[in-house]
Amino acid sequence: MFHALADPSRRRVVEQLTRGSASVSELAKPLRMSLPSVLQHLQILEESGLIRSEKVGRVRTCRIEPKALARAEHWITRQRDVWEQRLDRLGAYLAAEEEKDKGNR
């Protein structure tokens, strides 16, 4: 999932789809690339589970997959909590060292 989001064009597509479903041609308009390139990006997003698409007649419509975004958000939140705890411990350690230095002067 994070590999799929690593590309700025794919992030732009995901951002566009958060506002609602869109056809492939609508998604391709703001991107400066060929339609086959857009389709490759959409395939990566679909394989990652971030989007779903369906074809009705000649139109392929894509939509965001909210559960996938929720999983990513959950992982990011856990990582943020871990790093905040580590930084809090580092802050406490540095404060204690500073107090020791003041006491030794």
Side-chain angles (χ1 to χ4, degrees):
M1 180 181 321
F2 290 106
H3 166 73
L5 292 171
D7 183 87
S9 297
R10 292 192 288 265
R11 287 194 305 270
R12 190 169 185 177
V13 167
V14 169
E15 184 178 329
Q16 186 174 348
L17 289 174
T18 61
R19 294 187 289 273
S21 299
S23 69
V24 170
S25 60
E26 290 170 330
L27 294 170
K29 279 181 189 174
L31 303 174
R32 295 177 180 224
M33 62 182 70
S34 67
L35 189 56
S37 294
V38 172
L39 290 171
Q40 286 178 337
H41 284 295
L42 293 175
Q43 182 179 2
I44 291 168
L45 287 169
E46 194 159 7
E47 288 171 357
S48 75
L50 287 166
I51 69 169
R52 295 284 175 247
S53 69
E54 65 179 335
K55 190 171 184 178
V56 178
R58 298 181 67 178
V59 178
R60 179 166 294 281
T61 302
C62 299
R63 63 179 169 79
I64 199 77
E65 188 58 49
K67 289 180 184 179
L69 289 177
R71 287 193 308 271
E73 180 183 15
H74 179 70
W75 184 86
I76 290 168
T77 299
R78 283 194 335 255
Q79 295 306 307
R80 184 182 63 231
D81 291 345
V82 167
W83 280 101
E84 284 176 352
Q85 290 172 8
R86 289 176 181 174
L87 290 171
D88 288 346
R89 287 195 309 266
L90 176 61
Y93 172 78
L94 292 174
E97 288 297 309
E98 188 176 327
E99 286 299 316
K100 276 191 213 176
D101 287 345
K102 285 181 183 177
N104 291 334
R105 291 183 198 169

Short mmCIF file of all heavy atoms in Angstrom, two decimals, residues 5-63:
data_model
loop_
_atom_site.label_atom_id
_atom_site.label_comp_id
_atom_site.label_asym_id
_atom_site.label_seq_id
_atom_site.Cartn_x
_atom_site.Cartn_y
_atom_site.Cartn_z
N LEU A 5 1.42 4.39 -2.73
CA LEU A 5 1.28 5.80 -2.39
C LEU A 5 2.58 6.58 -2.52
O LEU A 5 2.58 7.81 -2.38
CB LEU A 5 0.75 5.94 -0.96
CG LEU A 5 -0.69 5.49 -0.75
CD1 LEU A 5 -1.04 5.46 0.72
CD2 LEU A 5 -1.65 6.38 -1.52
N ALA A 6 3.67 5.89 -2.81
CA ALA A 6 4.96 6.56 -2.93
C ALA A 6 5.03 7.46 -4.15
O ALA A 6 5.81 8.40 -4.19
CB ALA A 6 6.09 5.53 -2.96
N ASP A 7 4.24 7.18 -5.14
CA ASP A 7 4.28 7.95 -6.39
C ASP A 7 3.33 9.15 -6.31
O ASP A 7 2.16 8.99 -5.96
CB ASP A 7 3.88 7.05 -7.56
CG ASP A 7 3.96 7.77 -8.88
OD1 ASP A 7 5.06 7.78 -9.46
OD2 ASP A 7 2.95 8.34 -9.31
N PRO A 8 3.81 10.35 -6.66
CA PRO A 8 2.94 11.53 -6.57
C PRO A 8 1.72 11.48 -7.48
O PRO A 8 0.65 11.99 -7.11
CB PRO A 8 3.85 12.70 -6.96
CG PRO A 8 5.15 12.13 -7.35
CD PRO A 8 5.16 10.67 -7.05
N SER A 9 1.83 10.85 -8.63
CA SER A 9 0.67 10.74 -9.53
C SER A 9 -0.41 9.86 -8.91
O SER A 9 -1.60 10.17 -8.97
CB SER A 9 1.08 10.17 -10.88
OG SER A 9 1.98 11.04 -11.53
N ARG A 10 0.02 8.78 -8.28
CA ARG A 10 -0.96 7.89 -7.63
C ARG A 10 -1.59 8.57 -6.42
O ARG A 10 -2.78 8.41 -6.16
CB ARG A 10 -0.30 6.57 -7.28
CG ARG A 10 0.06 5.76 -8.52
CD ARG A 10 0.44 4.34 -8.20
NE ARG A 10 1.72 4.19 -7.56
CZ ARG A 10 2.86 3.92 -8.18
NH1 ARG A 10 2.89 3.79 -9.50
NH2 ARG A 10 3.99 3.77 -7.51
N ARG A 11 -0.79 9.34 -5.68
CA ARG A 11 -1.37 10.08 -4.54
C ARG A 11 -2.40 11.07 -5.04
O ARG A 11 -3.45 11.25 -4.41
CB ARG A 11 -0.27 10.80 -3.75
CG ARG A 11 0.59 9.87 -2.92
CD ARG A 11 1.42 10.63 -1.91
NE ARG A 11 2.26 11.66 -2.48
CZ ARG A 11 3.51 11.49 -2.91
NH1 ARG A 11 4.08 10.30 -2.85
NH2 ARG A 11 4.21 12.51 -3.38
N ARG A 12 -2.13 11.68 -6.17
CA ARG A 12 -3.09 12.64 -6.75
C ARG A 12 -4.39 11.95 -7.13
O ARG A 12 -5.48 12.47 -6.90
CB ARG A 12 -2.46 13.30 -7.96
CG ARG A 12 -3.23 14.47 -8.47
CD ARG A 12 -2.43 15.23 -9.49
NE ARG A 12 -3.15 16.42 -9.88
CZ ARG A 12 -2.69 17.31 -10.71
NH1 ARG A 12 -1.50 17.17 -11.22
NH2 ARG A 12 -3.41 18.36 -11.03
N VAL A 13 -4.28 10.75 -7.70
CA VAL A 13 -5.48 9.98 -8.06
C VAL A 13 -6.28 9.63 -6.80
O VAL A 13 -7.50 9.80 -6.76
CB VAL A 13 -5.10 8.70 -8.83
CG1 VAL A 13 -6.27 7.73 -8.94
CG2 VAL A 13 -4.57 9.05 -10.22
N VAL A 14 -5.59 9.16 -5.77
CA VAL A 14 -6.27 8.82 -4.52
C VAL A 14 -6.96 10.05 -3.94
O VAL A 14 -8.12 9.99 -3.51
CB VAL A 14 -5.29 8.19 -3.50
CG1 VAL A 14 -5.92 8.07 -2.11
CG2 VAL A 14 -4.82 6.82 -3.99
N GLU A 15 -6.25 11.17 -3.95
CA GLU A 15 -6.85 12.40 -3.44
C GLU A 15 -8.10 12.78 -4.23
O GLU A 15 -9.12 13.15 -3.66
CB GLU A 15 -5.83 13.54 -3.52
CG GLU A 15 -6.32 14.84 -2.91
CD GLU A 15 -5.27 15.92 -2.98
OE1 GLU A 15 -4.07 15.61 -2.92
OE2 GLU A 15 -5.67 17.09 -3.11
N GLN A 16 -8.03 12.64 -5.54
CA GLN A 16 -9.19 12.95 -6.38
C GLN A 16 -10.35 12.01 -6.06
O GLN A 16 -11.50 12.43 -5.99
CB GLN A 16 -8.81 12.85 -7.86
CG GLN A 16 -9.90 13.31 -8.80
CD GLN A 16 -9.43 13.33 -10.26
OE1 GLN A 16 -8.25 13.22 -10.55
NE2 GLN A 16 -10.37 13.45 -11.17
N LEU A 17 -10.05 10.74 -5.83
CA LEU A 17 -11.11 9.77 -5.56
C LEU A 17 -11.72 9.94 -4.17
O LEU A 17 -12.83 9.46 -3.93
CB LEU A 17 -10.58 8.34 -5.74
CG LEU A 17 -10.31 7.95 -7.19
CD1 LEU A 17 -9.65 6.58 -7.25
CD2 LEU A 17 -11.58 7.98 -8.02
N THR A 18 -11.03 10.62 -3.27
CA THR A 18 -11.64 10.87 -1.95
C THR A 18 -12.82 11.82 -2.08
O THR A 18 -13.66 11.90 -1.19
CB THR A 18 -10.62 11.45 -0.94
OG1 THR A 18 -10.12 12.69 -1.42
CG2 THR A 18 -9.50 10.47 -0.66
N ARG A 19 -12.90 12.54 -3.20
CA ARG A 19 -14.03 13.44 -3.44
C ARG A 19 -15.18 12.74 -4.17
O ARG A 19 -16.22 13.35 -4.40
CB ARG A 19 -13.56 14.65 -4.24
CG ARG A 19 -12.58 15.53 -3.46
CD ARG A 19 -12.23 16.81 -4.19
NE ARG A 19 -11.40 16.62 -5.35
CZ ARG A 19 -10.07 16.58 -5.35
NH1 ARG A 19 -9.42 16.72 -4.21
NH2 ARG A 19 -9.40 16.43 -6.47
N GLY A 20 -14.97 11.48 -4.56
CA GLY A 20 -16.03 10.74 -5.23
C GLY A 20 -15.49 9.90 -6.37
O GLY A 20 -14.36 10.08 -6.82
N SER A 21 -16.30 8.96 -6.83
CA SER A 21 -15.91 8.09 -7.93
C SER A 21 -15.63 8.91 -9.18
O SER A 21 -16.17 9.99 -9.36
CB SER A 21 -17.04 7.09 -8.23
OG SER A 21 -17.28 6.29 -7.11
N ALA A 22 -14.77 8.34 -10.04
CA ALA A 22 -14.42 9.03 -11.28
C ALA A 22 -14.06 8.01 -12.34
O ALA A 22 -13.57 6.93 -12.04
CB ALA A 22 -13.25 9.98 -11.04
N SER A 23 -14.31 8.40 -13.58
CA SER A 23 -13.92 7.53 -14.69
C SER A 23 -12.42 7.66 -14.91
O SER A 23 -11.78 8.61 -14.46
CB SER A 23 -14.67 7.94 -15.96
OG SER A 23 -14.20 9.20 -16.41
N VAL A 24 -11.86 6.69 -15.63
CA VAL A 24 -10.43 6.71 -15.93
C VAL A 24 -10.08 7.99 -16.69
O VAL A 24 -9.06 8.63 -16.39
CB VAL A 24 -10.02 5.45 -16.73
CG1 VAL A 24 -8.60 5.57 -17.25
CG2 VAL A 24 -10.18 4.21 -15.86
N SER A 25 -10.91 8.38 -17.63
CA SER A 25 -10.61 9.60 -18.39
C SER A 25 -10.64 10.84 -17.49
O SER A 25 -9.82 11.75 -17.66
CB SER A 25 -11.56 9.76 -19.57
OG SER A 25 -12.89 9.85 -19.14
N GLU A 26 -11.53 10.88 -16.50
CA GLU A 26 -11.56 12.01 -15.56
C GLU A 26 -10.30 12.03 -14.70
O GLU A 26 -9.75 13.08 -14.41
CB GLU A 26 -12.79 11.93 -14.66
CG GLU A 26 -14.10 12.20 -15.37
CD GLU A 26 -15.31 11.88 -14.52
OE1 GLU A 26 -15.25 10.97 -13.66
OE2 GLU A 26 -16.33 12.56 -14.73
N LEU A 27 -9.86 10.83 -14.30
CA LEU A 27 -8.65 10.74 -13.49
C LEU A 27 -7.41 11.11 -14.29
O LEU A 27 -6.45 11.65 -13.75
CB LEU A 27 -8.50 9.33 -12.92
CG LEU A 27 -9.57 8.91 -11.91
CD1 LEU A 27 -9.45 7.42 -11.60
CD2 LEU A 27 -9.46 9.74 -10.64
N ALA A 28 -7.43 10.83 -15.59
CA ALA A 28 -6.28 11.08 -16.44
C ALA A 28 -6.12 12.55 -16.80
O ALA A 28 -5.00 13.01 -17.06
CB ALA A 28 -6.39 10.25 -17.72
N LYS A 29 -7.21 13.31 -16.80
CA LYS A 29 -7.16 14.72 -17.25
C LYS A 29 -6.06 15.54 -16.57
O LYS A 29 -5.28 16.19 -17.25
CB LYS A 29 -8.51 15.40 -17.06
CG LYS A 29 -9.50 15.11 -18.14
CD LYS A 29 -10.81 15.85 -17.90
CE LYS A 29 -11.86 15.36 -18.88
NZ LYS A 29 -13.17 15.95 -18.59
N PRO A 30 -5.98 15.55 -15.24
CA PRO A 30 -4.97 16.42 -14.61
C PRO A 30 -3.54 15.86 -14.67
O PRO A 30 -2.59 16.56 -14.34
CB PRO A 30 -5.44 16.54 -13.17
CG PRO A 30 -6.29 15.35 -12.93
CD PRO A 30 -6.88 14.97 -14.26
N LEU A 31 -3.40 14.63 -15.09
CA LEU A 31 -2.08 14.01 -15.14
C LEU A 31 -1.44 14.23 -16.51
O LEU A 31 -2.11 14.11 -17.53
CB LEU A 31 -2.18 12.51 -14.85
CG LEU A 31 -2.82 12.14 -13.50
CD1 LEU A 31 -3.00 10.63 -13.41
CD2 LEU A 31 -2.01 12.67 -12.34
N ARG A 32 -0.19 14.52 -16.53
CA ARG A 32 0.52 14.74 -17.78
C ARG A 32 1.21 13.46 -18.21
O ARG A 32 2.43 13.33 -18.13
CB ARG A 32 1.53 15.86 -17.63
CG ARG A 32 0.88 17.18 -17.34
CD ARG A 32 1.90 18.24 -17.11
NE ARG A 32 1.22 19.50 -16.84
CZ ARG A 32 1.58 20.64 -17.36
NH1 ARG A 32 2.61 20.70 -18.17
NH2 ARG A 32 0.91 21.73 -17.06
N MET A 33 0.40 12.51 -18.67
CA MET A 33 0.94 11.24 -19.13
C MET A 33 -0.07 10.57 -20.05
O MET A 33 -1.23 10.97 -20.10
CB MET A 33 1.29 10.33 -17.95
CG MET A 33 0.12 9.94 -17.07
SD MET A 33 0.57 8.92 -15.66
CE MET A 33 1.46 10.06 -14.63
N SER A 34 0.40 9.56 -20.74
CA SER A 34 -0.47 8.85 -21.68
C SER A 34 -1.50 8.02 -20.92
O SER A 34 -1.31 7.67 -19.75
CB SER A 34 0.37 7.94 -22.58
OG SER A 34 0.95 6.90 -21.80
N LEU A 35 -2.58 7.68 -21.60
CA LEU A 35 -3.62 6.87 -20.99
C LEU A 35 -3.09 5.50 -20.55
O LEU A 35 -3.41 5.05 -19.44
CB LEU A 35 -4.82 6.72 -21.93
CG LEU A 35 -6.06 6.08 -21.34
CD1 LEU A 35 -6.54 6.82 -20.10
CD2 LEU A 35 -7.16 5.99 -22.37
N PRO A 36 -2.23 4.82 -21.35
CA PRO A 36 -1.67 3.56 -20.87
C PRO A 36 -0.87 3.71 -19.56
O PRO A 36 -0.93 2.84 -18.69
CB PRO A 36 -0.77 3.10 -22.02
CG PRO A 36 -1.38 3.71 -23.23
CD PRO A 36 -1.89 5.05 -22.76
N SER A 37 -0.17 4.83 -19.40
CA SER A 37 0.57 5.07 -18.16
C SER A 37 -0.39 5.25 -16.99
O SER A 37 -0.15 4.74 -15.89
CB SER A 37 1.47 6.29 -18.29
OG SER A 37 2.47 6.06 -19.24
N VAL A 38 -1.47 5.99 -17.22
CA VAL A 38 -2.48 6.18 -16.18
C VAL A 38 -3.07 4.82 -15.78
O VAL A 38 -3.23 4.53 -14.59
CB VAL A 38 -3.60 7.14 -16.65
CG1 VAL A 38 -4.75 7.17 -15.66
CG2 VAL A 38 -3.03 8.53 -16.88
N LEU A 39 -3.34 3.99 -16.76
CA LEU A 39 -3.90 2.66 -16.48
C LEU A 39 -2.94 1.82 -15.65
O LEU A 39 -3.37 1.07 -14.76
CB LEU A 39 -4.26 1.95 -17.78
CG LEU A 39 -5.46 2.54 -18.52
CD1 LEU A 39 -5.60 1.92 -19.90
CD2 LEU A 39 -6.74 2.37 -17.72
N GLN A 40 -1.64 1.94 -15.90
CA GLN A 40 -0.66 1.21 -15.09
C GLN A 40 -0.69 1.70 -13.64
O GLN A 40 -0.65 0.88 -12.70
CB GLN A 40 0.75 1.38 -15.66
CG GLN A 40 0.98 0.59 -16.93
CD GLN A 40 2.37 0.82 -17.49
OE1 GLN A 40 3.02 1.83 -17.22
NE2 GLN A 40 2.83 -0.14 -18.27
N HIS A 41 -0.79 3.01 -13.45
CA HIS A 41 -0.88 3.54 -12.08
C HIS A 41 -2.15 3.06 -11.39
O HIS A 41 -2.12 2.68 -10.22
CB HIS A 41 -0.85 5.08 -12.11
CG HIS A 41 0.50 5.65 -12.35
ND1 HIS A 41 1.55 5.51 -11.46
CD2 HIS A 41 0.99 6.38 -13.38
CE1 HIS A 41 2.62 6.13 -11.92
NE2 HIS A 41 2.30 6.67 -13.10
N LEU A 42 -3.25 3.06 -12.12
CA LEU A 42 -4.51 2.59 -11.54
C LEU A 42 -4.42 1.12 -11.18
O LEU A 42 -4.97 0.69 -10.15
CB LEU A 42 -5.67 2.86 -12.49
CG LEU A 42 -6.00 4.33 -12.73
CD1 LEU A 42 -7.09 4.47 -13.79
CD2 LEU A 42 -6.39 5.03 -11.43
N GLN A 43 -3.74 0.34 -11.99
CA GLN A 43 -3.58 -1.08 -11.70
C GLN A 43 -2.80 -1.27 -10.40
O GLN A 43 -3.17 -2.11 -9.56
CB GLN A 43 -2.86 -1.79 -12.85
CG GLN A 43 -2.70 -3.27 -12.62
CD GLN A 43 -1.99 -3.96 -13.79
OE1 GLN A 43 -1.59 -3.32 -14.75
NE2 GLN A 43 -1.83 -5.25 -13.68
N ILE A 44 -1.75 -0.50 -10.20
CA ILE A 44 -0.97 -0.59 -8.96
C ILE A 44 -1.84 -0.21 -7.76
O ILE A 44 -1.81 -0.89 -6.73
CB ILE A 44 0.29 0.29 -9.05
CG1 ILE A 44 1.26 -0.31 -10.07
CG2 ILE A 44 0.95 0.46 -7.69
CD1 ILE A 44 2.40 0.61 -10.47
N LEU A 45 -2.62 0.85 -7.91
CA LEU A 45 -3.50 1.25 -6.81
C LEU A 45 -4.55 0.18 -6.52
O LEU A 45 -4.87 -0.08 -5.36
CB LEU A 45 -4.19 2.58 -7.15
CG LEU A 45 -3.29 3.81 -7.10
CD1 LEU A 45 -4.00 5.01 -7.71
CD2 LEU A 45 -2.86 4.11 -5.67
N GLU A 46 -5.05 -0.44 -7.56
CA GLU A 46 -6.07 -1.48 -7.36
C GLU A 46 -5.44 -2.73 -6.74
O GLU A 46 -6.03 -3.32 -5.83
CB GLU A 46 -6.75 -1.81 -8.69
CG GLU A 46 -8.01 -2.61 -8.50
CD GLU A 46 -8.96 -2.54 -9.67
OE1 GLU A 46 -8.61 -1.97 -10.72
OE2 GLU A 46 -10.07 -3.06 -9.51
N GLU A 47 -4.27 -3.10 -7.18
CA GLU A 47 -3.59 -4.27 -6.60
C GLU A 47 -3.25 -4.05 -5.13
O GLU A 47 -3.23 -4.99 -4.35
CB GLU A 47 -2.32 -4.59 -7.39
CG GLU A 47 -2.59 -5.19 -8.75
CD GLU A 47 -1.35 -5.31 -9.61
OE1 GLU A 47 -0.25 -4.88 -9.18
OE2 GLU A 47 -1.47 -5.84 -10.73
N SER A 48 -3.00 -2.80 -4.75
CA SER A 48 -2.69 -2.50 -3.35
C SER A 48 -3.94 -2.50 -2.48
O SER A 48 -3.84 -2.48 -1.26
CB SER A 48 -2.01 -1.13 -3.25
OG SER A 48 -2.95 -0.10 -3.43
N GLY A 49 -5.11 -2.48 -3.12
CA GLY A 49 -6.37 -2.47 -2.37
C GLY A 49 -6.88 -1.07 -2.06
O GLY A 49 -7.90 -0.91 -1.41
N LEU A 50 -6.17 -0.04 -2.54
CA LEU A 50 -6.57 1.33 -2.24
C LEU A 50 -7.79 1.78 -3.05
O LEU A 50 -8.53 2.64 -2.60
CB LEU A 50 -5.42 2.30 -2.48
CG LEU A 50 -4.32 2.23 -1.43
CD1 LEU A 50 -3.07 2.95 -1.91
CD2 LEU A 50 -4.81 2.82 -0.13
N ILE A 51 -7.93 1.24 -4.25
CA ILE A 51 -9.08 1.60 -5.08
C ILE A 51 -9.72 0.35 -5.64
O ILE A 51 -9.11 -0.72 -5.67
CB ILE A 51 -8.72 2.58 -6.22
CG1 ILE A 51 -7.86 1.88 -7.28
CG2 ILE A 51 -8.05 3.83 -5.69
CD1 ILE A 51 -7.69 2.69 -8.57
N ARG A 52 -10.93 0.50 -6.11
CA ARG A 52 -11.66 -0.55 -6.83
C ARG A 52 -12.16 0.08 -8.12
O ARG A 52 -12.42 1.28 -8.18
CB ARG A 52 -12.86 -1.07 -6.04
CG ARG A 52 -12.49 -1.78 -4.77
CD ARG A 52 -11.96 -3.19 -5.05
NE ARG A 52 -11.51 -3.79 -3.82
CZ ARG A 52 -10.23 -4.07 -3.55
NH1 ARG A 52 -9.30 -3.78 -4.41
NH2 ARG A 52 -9.90 -4.63 -2.42
N SER A 53 -12.29 -0.75 -9.15
CA SER A 53 -12.85 -0.23 -10.40
C SER A 53 -13.84 -1.22 -10.95
O SER A 53 -13.80 -2.42 -10.64
CB SER A 53 -11.74 0.05 -11.42
OG SER A 53 -11.18 -1.16 -11.87
N GLU A 54 -14.74 -0.69 -11.75
CA GLU A 54 -15.70 -1.55 -12.44
C GLU A 54 -15.96 -0.95 -13.81
O GLU A 54 -15.90 0.27 -14.00
CB GLU A 54 -17.00 -1.70 -11.66
CG GLU A 54 -17.80 -0.44 -11.49
CD GLU A 54 -19.08 -0.67 -10.71
OE1 GLU A 54 -19.60 -1.79 -10.71
OE2 GLU A 54 -19.56 0.30 -10.11
N LYS A 55 -16.21 -1.84 -14.75
CA LYS A 55 -16.45 -1.40 -16.11
C LYS A 55 -17.93 -1.60 -16.43
O LYS A 55 -18.46 -2.69 -16.29
CB LYS A 55 -15.58 -2.18 -17.08
CG LYS A 55 -15.60 -1.63 -18.48
CD LYS A 55 -14.55 -2.32 -19.35
CE LYS A 55 -14.54 -1.68 -20.72
NZ LYS A 55 -13.52 -2.27 -21.57
N VAL A 56 -18.56 -0.53 -16.86
CA VAL A 56 -19.95 -0.58 -17.30
C VAL A 56 -19.95 -0.05 -18.72
O VAL A 56 -19.66 1.13 -18.95
CB VAL A 56 -20.87 0.27 -16.39
CG1 VAL A 56 -22.29 0.25 -16.91
CG2 VAL A 56 -20.81 -0.23 -14.95
N GLY A 57 -20.24 -0.93 -19.65
CA GLY A 57 -20.16 -0.53 -21.06
C GLY A 57 -18.72 -0.25 -21.42
O GLY A 57 -17.85 -1.06 -21.23
N ARG A 58 -18.48 0.95 -21.91
CA ARG A 58 -17.13 1.33 -22.32
C ARG A 58 -16.43 2.19 -21.27
O ARG A 58 -15.31 2.64 -21.49
CB ARG A 58 -17.20 2.09 -23.64
CG ARG A 58 -17.76 1.23 -24.76
CD ARG A 58 -17.81 1.98 -26.05
NE ARG A 58 -16.45 2.24 -26.49
CZ ARG A 58 -16.12 2.84 -27.60
NH1 ARG A 58 -17.06 3.29 -28.40
NH2 ARG A 58 -14.86 3.03 -27.94
N VAL A 59 -17.09 2.42 -20.15
CA VAL A 59 -16.54 3.32 -19.13
C VAL A 59 -16.08 2.54 -17.91
O VAL A 59 -16.86 1.79 -17.32
CB VAL A 59 -17.59 4.38 -18.72
CG1 VAL A 59 -17.04 5.29 -17.62
CG2 VAL A 59 -18.03 5.19 -19.92
N ARG A 60 -14.82 2.73 -17.55
CA ARG A 60 -14.28 2.14 -16.31
C ARG A 60 -14.29 3.24 -15.25
O ARG A 60 -13.72 4.30 -15.44
CB ARG A 60 -12.88 1.61 -16.51
CG ARG A 60 -12.28 1.03 -15.24
CD ARG A 60 -11.04 0.21 -15.49
NE ARG A 60 -11.31 -1.00 -16.25
CZ ARG A 60 -11.81 -2.13 -15.76
NH1 ARG A 60 -12.12 -2.19 -14.48
NH2 ARG A 60 -11.99 -3.17 -16.52
N THR A 61 -14.98 2.94 -14.15
CA THR A 61 -15.11 3.90 -13.05
C THR A 61 -14.35 3.38 -11.84
O THR A 61 -14.43 2.21 -11.49
CB THR A 61 -16.59 4.11 -12.69
OG1 THR A 61 -17.28 4.55 -13.86
CG2 THR A 61 -16.75 5.14 -11.59
N CYS A 62 -13.61 4.29 -11.20
CA CYS A 62 -12.82 3.93 -10.02
C CYS A 62 -13.42 4.60 -8.79
O CYS A 62 -14.01 5.68 -8.88
CB CYS A 62 -11.38 4.40 -10.20
SG CYS A 62 -10.55 3.67 -11.61
N ARG A 63 -13.21 3.95 -7.66
CA ARG A 63 -13.64 4.52 -6.39
C ARG A 63 -12.62 4.15 -5.33
O ARG A 63 -11.88 3.19 -5.46
CB ARG A 63 -15.04 4.02 -6.00
CG ARG A 63 -15.12 2.53 -5.77
CD ARG A 63 -16.53 2.08 -5.37
NE ARG A 63 -16.64 0.64 -5.40
CZ ARG A 63 -16.18 -0.18 -4.46
NH1 ARG A 63 -15.59 0.31 -3.40
NH2 ARG A 63 -16.33 -1.49 -4.58
#
